[in-house]
Amino acid sequence: MTSVSVRDLSLNFGAITVLDRLNLDINHGEFLVLLGSSGCGKSTLLNCIAGLLDVSEGQIFIKDRNVTWEEPKDRGIGMVFQSYALYPQMSVEKNLSFGLRVAKVPQAEIDKRVARAAEILQIQPLLKRKPAELSGGQRQRVAIGRALVRDVDVFLFDEPLSNLDAKLRSELRVEIKRLHQSLKNTMIYVTHDQIEALTLADRIAVMKSGVIQQLADPMTIYNAPENLFVAGFIGSPSMNFFRGEVAAKDGRSVVQVDGVAFDVTAYPARAKLQPGQKVVLGFRPEHVKVDETGAGDAAHQAVVDIEEPMGADNLLWLTFAGQSMSVRIAGQRRYKPGSAVRLSFDMGVASIFDAASENRL
Amino acid sequence: MLNLVANNSTVTEHEAVPDRITSGPRGAKPRRTLSRRNIVVYGTLIVVALYYLLPLYVMIMTSLKGMPEIRVGNIFAPPVEITFEPWVKAWAQACTGLNCDGLSRGFWNSVRITVPSTIISIAVASINGYALANWRFKGADLFFTILIVGAFIPYQVMIYPIVIVLREMGVYGTLTGLIIVHTIFGMPILTLLFRNYFAGLPEELFKAARVDGAGFWTIYFKIMLPMSLPIFVVAMILQVTGIWNDFLFGVVFTRPEYYPMTVQLNNIVNSVQGVKEYNVNMAATLLTGLVPLTIYFISGRLFVRGIAAGAVKG
Ligand SMILES: Nc1ncnc2c1ncn2[C@@H]1O[C@H](COP(=O)(O)OP(=O)(O)OP(=O)(O)O)[C@@H](O)[C@H]1O
Ligand SMILES: [Mg+2]
């Protein structure tokens, strides 16, 4: 049973088409993250699901009920905004209960639900305070509480953590994950922080200019990106790309890049490679090894430009095959700038894209 | 590594100039009170203040003198013998055209015009502004354009058509008619004011309230109103002073028994029979100006805050 289903959804602001025939099915209890660069239409999609924007075309189903024309309050959704959007003149308690009071829920029931939400989110001591007297993290907790008290099926988050500092963000991230595990609600979560996306999501939808580029679980998105955009967008530093051409050398299939040959016999989908085809090779920084022993291919010689020690690991920026690339190695292995190293590439986890269509092969 | 080097260098410098920390400038930079800049600034302010305050001073002084003293004395001299006679006369006995019961009648007329006009125009304009800013209904842009254009049409052009409309409605010459006129003419600028203020409030607040199930009126009364006190004060000041000081509409759209205070003041000051009673005229003028003046004093600070908030967010 799907919890939220978006069918052929289009949305235009006047002449600008922000979403174009978008389809998305979200399972019950699933944590779906919408990830994409700024302005790609994530908030717009979320607002359409919430009913805050009238769609131009298409349908929205929540719990198998067509809610396309329904008011936000009737859709069984709760929403948490980036700027918290707490009502400034009301106390935390009144903020939490506002929706219930509007719906004329009996006072006893309101008290019960507010107490429960306050307990889950650990904000009992703050109930009498005004939003201005809370810290950013506390405000966001209250904002989540406001969705919580309404007992909704679907939670919508629009970049809820991006106004918080790094430490608080990672704390609340864990809390949201815990909340999801205990409530088992459907959650749709917009972010452009890929760490948030990778850690929280059951599935990630990577968006670009209103189109979903790939919808898959985080590991698939990370290891087997569907196209060049997804490959470049996910991962920091991003994947190393090499443009080259498929050729045959000594009876083996290789990709020739600027005079350097990559043996691609270990690539899982090598059958799709046609000789003469222009392709883009992609390696994540941690999928390249730096050999000290001198093993590996003698042709894969690189020069260290800069190293960025990060504690747990060490990021090397190298010049290889006439371009700059990054390699992640263990933190205790250090190299002086200018030293020559030999690289070996793990073809089993590499990605190869067709240069023309930019899709994965 | 870098840190160490920096530390070293401070140590050596410290040794070379041992009392650099104790001897140099420290704390807040001293400011001379009588700098050239201050003289220019305060001088200008004082001159400007005098320019505005002097007429007020002359009026108050004159209004407290008897007629004989006015004829002999110079206008800047304070009264030798203080009398409140002119104030009483201006309020209760001065002749305004036909009847001689002073400004009191005009005062109450003005109150009966200003209070409802202010309340109605602000209520309607704030709802208009809220609807325009947050609900973006069909035709909102057209409606807004018409309002803005309305703000630029000179009043004089519309007077005659409005007289006809009011007459057709049967309210020409009554207080109701005048209240309607004031409400309509206040609408463009007030709606603009409220629209900009509401548009400056965070949009997500409005969305959150909608998700919470609040409708048009609940959001207006429970969310928007409590956040908008400054702009309501601004609107109130604009309307009260504007309507209280109005002369033209008062003359054109009402009959003598409903004349507002400003019109009566004019009739007192410009009356041609008898001697010119300067002290009564001055007292009458001050009485008429008292209401806007009080409003400014009470709400001046809120006014500034509201304007500033509008300017920053609008
Ligand atoms: N009211 C509007 N009128 C016209 N265009 C709009 C409106 N709201 C959004 N857009 C446009 O729609 C596109 C998508 O906006 P949206 O807010 O969904 O982006 P987003 O993915 O949420 O970005 P961000 O990560 O910055 O929040 C943008 O190009 C934006 O300029
Ligand atoms: Mg957004």
Side-chain angles (χ1 to χ4, degrees):
Chain A
M1 177 180 131
T2 61
S3 173
V4 177
S5 176
V6 174
R7 303 200 188 146
D8 286 329
L9 181 74
S10 296
L11 188 123
N12 324 314
F13 288 115
I16 317 163
T17 301
V18 177
L19 302 175
D20 192 14
R21 288 188 302 272
L22 187 139
N23 282 288
L24 183 62
D25 283 312
I26 302 161
N27 296 325
H28 192 74
E30 188 174 29
F31 199 122
L32 182 101
V33 170
L34 294 173
L35 183 64
S37 47
S38 196
C40 69
K42 309 181 294 290
S43 299
T44 307
L45 174 57
L46 209 64
N47 281 325
C48 288
I49 295 174
L52 293 168
L53 280 175
D54 284 335
V55 307
S56 312
E57 197 54 58
Q59 294 174 312
I60 295 165
F61 291 81
I62 293 178
K63 278 193 127 183
D64 295 327
R65 196 162 56 89
N66 187 336
V67 295
T68 313
W69 289 347
E70 281 188 13
E71 279 293 299
K73 68 172 161 55
D74 302 323
R75 296 188 177 203
I77 51 120
M79 193 157 175
V80 178
F81 299 90
Q82 176 178 355
S83 64
Y84 323 125
L86 299 179
Y87 313 124
Q89 74 282 1
M90 296 183 198
S91 67
V92 168
E93 190 179 1
K94 290 274 184 296
N95 259 287
L96 291 176
S97 61
F98 181 72
L100 301 179
R101 282 182 285 136
V102 169
K104 302 221 162 45
V105 173
Q107 188 62 43
E109 175 70 15
I110 293 182
D111 291 343
K112 209 175 81 194
R113 291 210 215 161
V114 169
R116 174 173 160 266
E119 195 199 318
I120 293 175
L121 297 165
Q122 312 260 299
I123 49 172
Q124 294 108 320
L126 311 175
L127 285 179
K128 294 286 170 240
R129 293 206 207 160
K130 292 275 174 67
E133 299 157 2
L134 302 176
S135 73
Q138 292 167 334
R139 281 181 211 182
Q140 200 50 285
R141 247 173 266 227
V142 176
I144 295 173
R146 203 163 50 181
L148 213 56
V149 292
R150 294 185 50 242
D151 251 348
V152 290
D153 307 309
V154 181
F155 276 65
L156 307 174
F157 293 91
D158 194 352
E159 306 192 28
L161 305 184
S162 46
N163 277 7
L164 305 175
D165 64 64
K167 185 161 177 293
L168 213 57
R169 205 176 321 166
S170 57
E171 274 173 32
L172 244 80
R173 197 171 69 209
V174 175
E175 255 177 68
I176 290 178
K177 187 150 193 170
R178 195 170 291 142
L179 193 69
H180 178 240
Q181 276 171 3
S182 64
L183 295 176
K184 302 195 168 52
N185 290 39
T186 308
M187 295 194 174
I188 307 178
Y189 188 105
V190 166
T191 182
H192 45 218
D193 178 355
Q194 32 175 307
I195 304 295
E196 261 170 46
L198 292 168
T199 52
L200 288 172
D202 292 327
R203 279 194 303 166
I204 298 176
V206 181
M207 287 179 70
K208 180 194 174 192
S209 21
V211 179
I212 294 180
Q213 304 288 315
Q214 186 171 8
L215 173 63
D217 62 283
M219 279 303 104
T220 310
I221 294 261
Y222 189 80
N223 292 320
E226 209 39 64
N227 58 34
L228 261 182
F229 174 80
V230 176
F233 190 77
I234 303 276
S236 168
S238 70
M239 197 181 256
N240 300 297
F241 295 117
F242 299 96
R243 292 190 173 273
E245 199 179 313
V246 179
K249 191 179 168 191
D250 310 335
R252 319 179 107 210
S253 199
V254 296
V255 172
Q256 282 286 351
V257 177
D258 201 11
V260 184
F262 289 88
D263 189 339
V264 292
T265 29
Y267 187 67
R270 64 187 164 279
K272 291 186 192 162
L273 302 176
Q274 310 293 332
Q277 188 179 13
K278 297 248 186 294
V279 294
V280 178
L281 266 177
F283 300 100
R284 295 236 174 254
E286 62 272 25
H287 293 157
V288 181
K289 287 200 188 63
V290 174
D291 291 313
E292 290 176 327
T293 53
D297 197 327
H300 295 169
Q301 198 82 18
V303 178
V304 177
D305 293 328
I306 292 174
E307 60 166 0
E308 291 186 299
M310 300 187 177
D313 45 32
N314 189 0
L315 196 66
L316 290 186
W317 289 91
L318 313 162
T319 303
F320 174 71
Q323 70 183 70
S324 174
M325 71 174 288
S326 59
V327 174
R328 199 190 299 276
I329 56 174
Q332 66 272 20
R333 289 174 64 190
R334 306 292 294 269
Y335 290 90
K336 287 228 155 40
S339 47
V341 293
R342 222 175 249 192
L343 305 177
S344 69
F345 297 86
D346 187 349
M347 208 42 81
V349 289
S351 299
I352 300 180
F353 306 94
D354 182 69
S357 71
E358 302 199 338
N359 287 332
R360 184 184 189 83
L361 291 168
Chain B
M1 190 59 202
L2 213 69
N3 220 338
L4 255 173
V5 174
N7 266 344
N8 274 340
S9 70
T10 1
V11 169
T12 28
E13 262 182 45
H14 196 122
E15 279 162 359
V17 195
D19 54 357
R20 195 187 67 172
I21 293 176
T22 47
S23 65
R26 181 169 191 180
K29 193 174 168 185
R31 291 186 197 285
R32 289 202 359 243
T33 34
L34 260 182
S35 66
R36 191 179 308 164
R37 198 181 109 223
N38 280 1
I39 292 173
V40 171
V41 169
Y42 286 103
T44 314
L45 286 176
I46 289 169
V47 169
V48 172
L50 278 180
Y51 181 80
Y52 280 101
L53 284 177
L54 210 60
L56 187 66
Y57 169 81
V58 169
M59 286 182 64
I60 293 174
M61 289 309 137
T62 311
S63 74
L64 295 173
K65 293 173 185 171
M67 273 318 282
E69 204 184 322
I70 292 174
R71 271 186 219 107
V72 295
N74 90 25
I75 57 167
F76 295 108
V80 183
E81 201 179 325
I82 294 181
T83 167
F84 291 101
E85 194 64 25
W87 288 73
V88 175
K89 187 166 182 198
W91 177 255
Q93 293 142 28
C95 292
T96 60
L98 300 175
N99 36 35
C100 286
D101 49 6
L103 278 174
S104 54
R105 174 198 297 268
F107 175 82
W108 291 115
N109 281 342
S110 278
V111 169
R112 283 158 66 199
I113 295 163
T114 306
V115 172
S117 310
T118 304
I119 292 174
I120 297 172
S121 60
I122 289 181
V124 176
S126 63
I127 294 163
N128 278 350
Y130 159 67
L132 281 169
N134 289 314
W135 289 89
R136 308 218 180 89
F137 51 91
K138 260 212 177 73
D141 288 338
L142 182 71
F143 181 75
F144 191 59
T145 316
I146 290 174
L147 264 179
I148 297 299
V149 170
F152 290 107
I153 297 179
Y155 292 164
Q156 292 78 350
V157 175
M158 294 196 264
I159 285 181
Y160 188 58
I162 287 182
V163 168
I164 295 171
V165 171
L166 289 182
R167 200 178 54 207
E168 292 303 312
M169 288 165 66
V171 289
Y172 176 63
T174 65
L175 286 181
T176 316
L178 187 55
I179 289 168
I180 292 175
V181 170
H182 277 307
T183 305
I184 291 172
F185 277 95
M187 213 41 57
I189 187 73
L190 285 186
T191 304
L192 188 66
L193 192 74
F194 278 106
R195 193 203 79 108
N196 285 353
Y197 186 85
F198 289 133
L201 295 177
E203 199 195 357
E204 297 193 337
L205 217 51
F206 172 75
K207 289 184 177 172
R210 280 196 66 197
V211 172
D212 265 342
F216 187 91
W217 295 109
T218 316
I219 296 179
Y220 176 74
F221 284 112
K222 293 274 171 64
I223 311 288
M224 294 300 178
L225 269 197
M227 283 171 35
S228 316
L229 181 67
I231 204 67
F232 275 87
V233 172
V234 170
M236 190 200 70
I237 294 175
L238 283 179
Q239 283 302 83
V240 169
T241 53
I243 296 171
W244 191 273
N245 290 338
D246 161 67
F247 181 86
L248 181 63
F249 294 165
V251 181
V252 175
F253 297 112
T254 54
R255 286 192 294 271
E257 69 259 38
Y258 294 133
Y259 275 166
M261 207 171 181
T262 44
V263 178
Q264 292 209 322
L265 172 68
N266 172 67
N267 291 354
I268 292 176
V269 175
N270 287 340
S271 77
V272 282
Q273 314 116 327
V275 282
K276 280 257 186 228
E277 292 180 297
Y278 291 110
N279 50 1
V280 174
N281 291 351
M282 299 285 177
T285 310
L286 285 170
L287 276 173
T288 311
L290 223 49
V291 166
L293 211 60
T294 321
I295 297 270
Y296 283 135
F297 273 124
I298 294 173
S299 45
R301 198 179 305 160
L302 279 170
F303 182 76
V304 172
R305 211 192 296 162
I307 290 280
V312 172
K313 288 175 182 159

